[in-house]
Amino acid sequence: MSEPIGIIGGTALAGLAGVETNGPATIPDTAYGPASGPLVHGTFAGRDVCFVMRHGPGHRLAPHAINYRANIRALADAGCRQVIAIAAVGGITEAMAPGRIVVPHQIIDYSWGRAHTFYDDASAGALDHIDFTDPYAPALRQALINAASGLGFDPAEAAVYGVTQGPRLETAAEIDRMERDGCDIVGMTGMPEAGLAREAGLDYACASVVVNKAAGRTGGLAIHAEIEATLARAMANIEAWLEAVLPTL
């Protein structure tokens, strides 16, 4: 059996309809507490996968309340060495229009107060100051880009992902600041997830879809209405993207 590919589902992917499950899904209990929801083991697009819903069943966990450490540890303990994280994001720059598929290459972390490392105490072992120069695994990023391009999705092959605290959406002034800082997209769950994956030795990349224009850039359209309309279209694209990329890993 090959190593399973870890998939973290976000707002844009609440479940994998086409997965053939291998037994009942249970909520893993790790040294850092329980994962957000059941870890689904199965086969998707001909590959072994482990799927976990980041926000839990029913989208009940706010971004700051997610047990990111437990989710990453559960995937690592299940044998995953590669993790694809699905994310719904807001578009800051003009190129990041609703519906755009984006594979970010950098992160700026504006979140706070989250358990962001496995090295909180000596039980984690010898302290490792991870190199986080490039927060996403280059080969996995390129595989996502190639698969999206092959489907005709015209992916944005690079973007800076600004991570905010949530659960509220941002003010227009906050988005203006983030654009000055160099952010292209905004979301609430990119960190500490990416950093923890690096600490755990996992290849991690983010497959994101822009579901709304960020605050102050909406052109008068209500943000929540825009999100719901785009999510309805994005779900099929995300699953097709996964079906295309998984056999190449």
Side-chain angles (χ1 to χ4, degrees):
M1 181 180 295
S2 61
E3 293 176 347
I5 307 298
I7 301 172
I8 302 176
T11 304
L13 188 70
L16 274 178
V19 67
E20 297 179 11
T21 58
N22 300 330
T26 59
I27 299 177
D29 191 12
T30 74
Y32 304 94
S36 294
L39 189 63
V40 178
H41 299 261
T43 304
F44 186 78
R47 293 299 303 269
D48 293 327
V49 297
C50 289
F51 177 82
V52 65
M53 292 180 287
R54 185 188 286 118
H55 293 278
H59 200 82
R60 57 184 174 77
L61 295 173
H64 68 282
I66 293 167
N67 192 337
Y68 296 95
R69 293 194 298 184
N71 290 346
I72 293 297
R73 178 48 54 196
L75 291 172
D77 289 348
C80 299
R81 292 296 172 263
Q82 299 178 92
V83 175
I84 297 173
I86 309 300
V89 297
I92 296 177
T93 55
E94 186 175 350
M96 302 300 163
R100 187 82 191 271
I101 294 291
V102 184
V103 185
H105 74 295
Q106 279 293 334
I107 296 173
I108 299 178
D109 189 7
Y110 300 94
S111 68
W112 49 271
R114 304 180 181 188
H116 66 280
T117 180
F118 290 115
Y119 296 105
D120 279 346
D121 56 62
S123 65
L127 175 63
D128 182 9
H129 297 280
I130 58 167
D131 183 347
F132 207 49
T133 304
D134 296 306
Y136 301 109
L140 188 53
R141 282 192 68 252
Q142 192 59 54
L144 285 167
I145 291 167
N146 292 345
S149 297
L151 292 169
F153 287 164
D154 185 28
E157 300 184 10
V160 178
Y161 180 173
V163 184
T164 57
Q165 181 71 356
R168 68 166 177 83
L169 297 176
E170 301 75 33
T171 69
E174 287 169 335
I175 293 298
D176 287 343
R177 180 190 67 165
M178 293 176 72
E179 184 169 17
R180 291 193 297 269
D181 287 349
C183 296
D184 299 287
I185 56 176
V186 56
M188 302 175 186
T189 58
M191 286 291 287
E193 196 173 86
L196 291 165
R198 181 64 53 85
E199 285 189 351
L202 306 182
D203 287 343
Y204 173 99
C206 179
S208 63
V209 57
V210 178
V211 296
N212 65 284
K213 293 184 178 180
R217 288 145 175 79
T218 61
L221 183 64
I223 287 180
H224 286 294
E226 187 174 33
I227 291 173
E228 291 177 6
T230 308
L231 277 175
R233 300 191 303 269
M235 187 74 76
N237 287 345
I238 292 293
E239 292 205 3
W241 193 5
L242 289 173
E243 287 178 357
V245 73
L246 288 178
T248 71
L249 301 181

